[in-house]
């Protein structure tokens, strides 16, 4: 009887987690841009986000009842081996994304951010030897075409006189594309640790947040953000609303784990596609800004490419007897 109730409850959990992740993923660029003032020191918001992730992950482990066991079996060497390098990569990636948020419109940012799927596949093959089907290779090609269209559109746009095209390119487009490369590399390393070495994903979240924060703190002695913190303070230009995107980003990381656990990677792919539509809708509702012609062309390419990539996975051909 208990098993039957669990099976009936699981689809409801899947839909709930998927809906929440879609809303979080689609609204994150918009709320980050609206609730984080341009004067806020990037490193301060990144460090706060890492602290929020640790709190969320520890809370989940405590509720799950596995926190004590993981603490007893934890070792510094194992943590450094599986989480040290991804942590440093993600710390740099998050800083680049914070810069990009402030210099791109929400929909363009979201679509350019999807190029991380290509780099995830590339590093997945290089590190884990995961092969791609012909359809998936074609889908990744469509994704790159969409990214190029967006880059050309944003870099040469004359419709927005308030933004310098060079500033958009070097402080908006380039950071998000470099962050996508780093995301693909870190994702493959994390997948190797969790699937091959069976390292807990929640424990890895805690370790990477701590290691990443240590890297950021070490860099403050020589960085402009460090100078700004010493001059103006850690919470310079913060408001109570600054916590909204920070907490939302941390909860999103937990939701990704829940969706993957209950529904797998296919449902996560549909969540990403749906989130793009949520971003476009929210941008139109709150900013009154319809998508640009380049976005209108690129959006169906992004949606089609991700859908094809999830629908046609690589399958090993059976040998004939």
């Amino acid at each position: 009887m208990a098993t039957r109730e669990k099976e009936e409850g699981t689809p409801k959990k899947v839909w709930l987690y998927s809906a929440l992740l879609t809303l979080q993923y689609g609204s994150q660029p918009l709320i980050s841009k609206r609730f984080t003032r341009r004067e806020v020191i990037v490193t301060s918001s990144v460090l706060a986000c890492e602290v929020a992730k640790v709190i969320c992950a520890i809370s989940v482990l405590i509720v799950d009842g596995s926190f004590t066991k993981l603490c007893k079996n934890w070792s510094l060497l194992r943590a450094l081996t599986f989480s040290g390098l991804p942590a440093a990569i993600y710390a740099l990636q998050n800083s680049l994304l914070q810069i990009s948020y402030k210099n791109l419109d929400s929909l363009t940012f979201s679509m350019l951010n999807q190029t991380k799927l290509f780099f995830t596949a590339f590093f997945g093959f290089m590190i884990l030897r995961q092969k791609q089907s012909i359809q998936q290779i074609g889908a990744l090609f469509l994704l790159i075409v969409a990214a190029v269209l967006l880059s050309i559109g944003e870099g040469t746009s004359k419709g927005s006189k308030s933004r310098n095209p060079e500033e958009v390119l070097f402080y908006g487009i380039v950071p998000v594309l470099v962050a996508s490369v780093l995301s693909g590399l870190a994702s493959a390393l994390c997948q190797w640790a969790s699937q091959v070495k069976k390292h807990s994903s929640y424990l890895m979240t805690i370790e990477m947040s701590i290691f990443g924060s240590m890297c950021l703190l070490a860099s403050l002695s020589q960085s402009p953000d460090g100078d700004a913190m010493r001059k103006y303070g850690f919470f310079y230009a913060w408001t109570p609303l600054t916590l909204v995107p920070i907490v939302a980003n941390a909860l999103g990381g937990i939701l990704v784990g829940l969706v993957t656990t209950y529904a797998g990677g296919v449902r996560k792919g549909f969540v990403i596609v749906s989130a793009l539509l949520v971003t476009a809708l929210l941008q139109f509702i709150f900013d009154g800004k319809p998508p640009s012609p380049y976005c209108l062309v690129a959006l169906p390419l992004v949606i089609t490419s991700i859908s094809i990539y999830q629908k046609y996975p690589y399958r090993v051909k059976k040998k004939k007897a």
Side-chain angles (χ1 to χ4, degrees):
M1 187 72 176
T3 304
R4 184 178 177 182
E5 289 177 357
K6 186 177 180 180
E7 288 177 354
E8 290 177 351
T10 299
K12 294 181 181 179
K13 288 183 178 180
V14 170
W15 282 108
L16 175 62
Y17 296 149
S18 298
L20 290 174
L21 182 58
T22 300
L23 181 61
Q24 183 275 326
Y25 196 95
S27 62
Q28 188 68 44
L30 193 69
I31 62 177
S32 293
K33 190 173 183 179
R34 292 177 72 90
F35 296 149
T36 304
R37 297 171 60 183
R38 293 183 66 90
E39 295 83 5
V40 169
I41 302 170
V42 172
T43 303
S44 70
S45 60
V46 173
L47 284 170
C49 184
E50 296 303 326
V51 171
K53 286 180 182 178
V54 170
I55 294 172
C56 289
I58 290 177
S59 301
V60 170
L61 288 174
I62 291 175
V63 172
D64 187 53
S66 58
F67 181 71
T68 303
K69 182 180 178 181
L70 287 173
C71 287
K72 290 180 179 179
N73 298 327
W74 184 84
S75 71
L76 179 60
L77 179 60
R78 185 178 174 85
L80 288 171
T81 301
F82 297 141
S83 304
L85 181 57
I89 294 173
Y90 275 129
L92 177 57
Q93 177 206 346
N94 288 334
S95 296
L96 290 171
L97 289 179
Q98 291 294 327
I99 295 171
S100 185
Y101 276 146
K102 299 178 180 179
N103 293 283
L104 288 178
D105 70 80
S106 302
L107 182 56
T108 301
F109 171 85
S110 292
M111 286 192 287
L112 280 175
N113 197 32
Q114 301 315 307
T115 56
K116 64 186 177 184
L117 181 60
F118 170 82
F119 296 109
T120 300
F122 173 76
F123 287 111
F125 173 75
M126 296 298 294
I127 296 173
L128 301 169
R129 293 302 172 188
Q130 293 179 336
K131 297 182 180 179
Q132 309 296 320
S133 66
I134 297 297
Q135 293 91 336
Q136 286 179 320
I137 294 173
L140 294 173
F141 176 75
L142 284 178
L143 195 62
I144 296 304
V145 171
V148 170
L149 280 174
L150 287 167
S151 299
I152 295 173
E154 285 294 307
T156 61
S157 176
K158 297 180 180 178
S160 178
K161 296 181 180 179
S162 62
R163 294 189 299 172
N164 185 342
E166 290 187 2
E167 182 179 338
V168 171
L169 176 62
F170 291 108
Y171 294 96
I173 294 171
V174 171
V176 73
L177 290 179
V178 174
S180 293
V181 176
L182 296 175
S183 175
L185 175 58
S187 178
L189 291 173
C190 289
Q191 190 175 348
W192 170 79
S194 61
Q195 293 184 358
V196 178
K197 298 299 181 180
K198 307 300 180 184
H199 199 55
S200 169
S201 59
Y202 287 119
L203 181 59
M204 190 180 300
T205 298
I206 296 171
E207 292 169 346
M208 288 196 302
S209 294
I210 293 174
F211 291 147
S213 298
M214 291 172 64
C215 291
L216 285 174
L217 289 171
S219 69
L220 289 179
S221 61
Q222 300 295 330
S223 69
D225 279 5
D227 295 336
M229 282 187 192
R230 286 186 288 273
K231 184 176 181 180
Y232 301 111
F234 184 89
F235 296 105
Y236 175 70
W238 278 51
T239 68
L241 291 177
T242 307
L243 291 172
V244 174
I246 290 172
V247 174
N249 196 6
L251 292 175
I254 303 300
L255 287 171
V256 167
L258 291 172
V259 170
T260 304
T261 298
Y262 283 96
V266 174
R267 177 62 66 88
K268 181 184 172 184
F270 283 107
V271 166
I272 293 173
V273 173
S274 303
L276 290 173
L277 301 178
V278 171
T279 301
L281 178 62
L282 292 176
Q283 183 173 276
F284 179 70
I285 292 174
F286 292 104
D287 293 342
K289 181 180 179 182
S292 68
Y294 287 95
C295 282
L296 291 175
V297 174
L299 181 57
L301 289 178
V302 173
I303 293 175
T304 302
S305 65
I306 297 178
S307 299
I308 291 174
Y309 188 87
Q310 297 292 341
K311 189 176 181 180
Y312 298 100
Y314 178 82
R315 290 185 175 86
V316 179
K317 295 181 180 179
K318 297 182 179 179
K319 295 182 181 180
K320 295 182 179 179

